[in-house]
Amino acid sequence: MRPAPSAAPSAAPSAAPAADTGPTRQREVLIELVTLHARVLQRMPVVQGLLVAGLALVFIDKVTAPVFASWAAFALGVEALRAVVATRVLRTLDSIDPTRVHRGFVLMAACAGAADGLAAVLFLPRLEVIDQAWLGVVLFAIPAAGVAVSMSSRYILGAFALAIIVPATVTWSMLHPEHRSVIPLGLLYSGLLILVAAESERLLMRAVLIRRERDRVVRDLERSNADVRAAQMRAEDAAQARARVLAAASHDLRQPLHALSIYSAILAANPSAATLREVGENIDQIVRSLGHLLGGLLDLSRLSTGYLTPERRLFALDAECARICAELRSLAEAKGLSLRTDLPPTQLCGDQMMVGRIARNLIDNAIKYTDRGEVSVSLSRIDDHAVLAVADTGKGIEPHEQQRIFEEFYQIDNPGRDRSRGVGLGLALVQRMSELIGATVSLASEPGRGSCFTVTIPDAAPEGGATSTSIATTPVPMPAGTRIYVVDDEQDILASTSTLLTMWGARVDTASDASAAVSLYERFGPPALLIADLRLGGHEHGTALALRLRATWGEFPVLITTGETSSEALRETSAAGFPLMHKPITAERLREMIGRALVPAA
Ligand code: ADP
């Protein structure tokens, strides 16, 4: 029963158009076919039993009982064997090789047909002409029924039909030489049956394709339903987070403002010098913490609106961490903590500012939440990731709080929201910035024993192949007399920026709106650098103005400043490729950005 290895492709149905005959589809059709055929084969012994019984009633006396009994045993045995094999196939459907099973079914169909064909060889010579005709009709009818049994396999049908028709017609023509034409007629009849089977094979293929398509549509629908549900949940989460942030922010803003109004009433009452000093110090403290809160909110807003694109530059992560540790060391020492560092040289390609902010927040927290022992900051490398670990021997964090501390404004143990103990935005920013640069943050902590925050930062591919640290960290000196135009509708900003740039040796001209800026170009030509605010009061924003001036005066470097965190103008600025500076801008940052902007022109 073992089929010839080379027969695989030819035994498979191939009625579908070329485009529809992918191997998977072919296999699926074949599995469908052998399954249907196997189910019918399980009933075939009963059908064959009825045929044998019918033939016995008519012919048993005429062909003698032993001959009939031998034939009947053979015919029923073959059908029984087919039923057993079919049952086994149906039990192991998941693991069968459908091509092999199909070949086996073809072979067994030939045997089953041959059993019926044998009836012609054995019985016809022993019968009268009228009985021969009866038997002939029965034998011709059996292959037609085989179309249904074969379940659209022209190979099964062909094997079955030919195994009956060939011996039957050959025997007939030997008994009746004048009827030799019965052989070609029998073959023609078999051919027609095979064509009918081929047609059903095509129908089966189409049915399978339709089912596949239906399954795919259902799967797609389920997937898009899941996407919609996920998006809905994300939107609900975001709305809840926004409401939480707004509530906490308005509370945290209202308290210091309330305190400030009380202090202003005290100041108005002409207090003593000692009270004045105390009030001054408190006001300073309040303004500082307000600054922290606003800075944190601004960062959060920038991170949420997606306008912050991480930079990809090579920098020394060890030097960045060492600088932060040096700045925070006095804080640690004031609390009697030792700040240990293990910072082997670690070059990283990524956003230095964000990585630095992440490190600073973690180290600052470690010092803040540790009363005795030490804080250690270490760096290591795993493949193309840098790993920053900040460990402390502080109070630790309960397991159920370890997730929540990354939420905005979530603080443990600060129900009175004492602002001197932070505002609860540090870890939320660490989390958001990490997500933005593709880093992961993990926390291991045991209450009473300490915590260890580990940040795994991937090495990003350098932008434009830049591999030098010098551009990122060292501002290019500004040549004396560099002509800079500053456009801003805020007079204070124009005046202060102009003073600072002049101090650095630049020749500065200012304009408070678009038309004044155009006049500068008409009088002096294009500058070495244009610094424009995004919102200019009129209809035109800074980026649109810079693009218009460039269209007239050719290329010149542009820096855009803004206090906005989300707007169409910001999107246009990103699209134009102009460097964007978010206010408040420190002098160092301004100097660094000017240095970078002047590099191509230098
Ligand atoms: P903040 O420090 O401003 O309160 P964070 O978002 O930085 O806000 O931290 C949230 C909370 O997580 C803190 O209130 C603190 O209770 C807890 N936390 C953060 N870092 C540590 C640490 N290293 N050890 C113990 N608790 C910590």
Side-chain angles (χ1 to χ4, degrees), residues 365-366 368-369 392 395-397 405 410-412 421-428 451 453:
N365 274 353
K368 205 158 58 173
Y369 299 108
D392 62 58
K395 52 160 77 169
I397 302 159
I405 52 172
Y410 189 80
Q411 291 181 297
I412 306 171
R421 296 169 59 182
V423 292
L425 284 178
L427 289 180
S451 314
F453 288 84

Side-chain angles (χ1 to χ4, degrees), residues 429-454:
L429 290 171
V430 164
Q431 180 81 348
R432 298 274 184 105
M433 282 190 271
S434 298
E435 278 165 15
L436 207 62
I437 60 174
T440 51
V441 186
S442 61
L443 165 63
S445 182
E446 226 182 292
R449 305 199 61 165
S451 314
C452 178
F453 288 84
T454 309

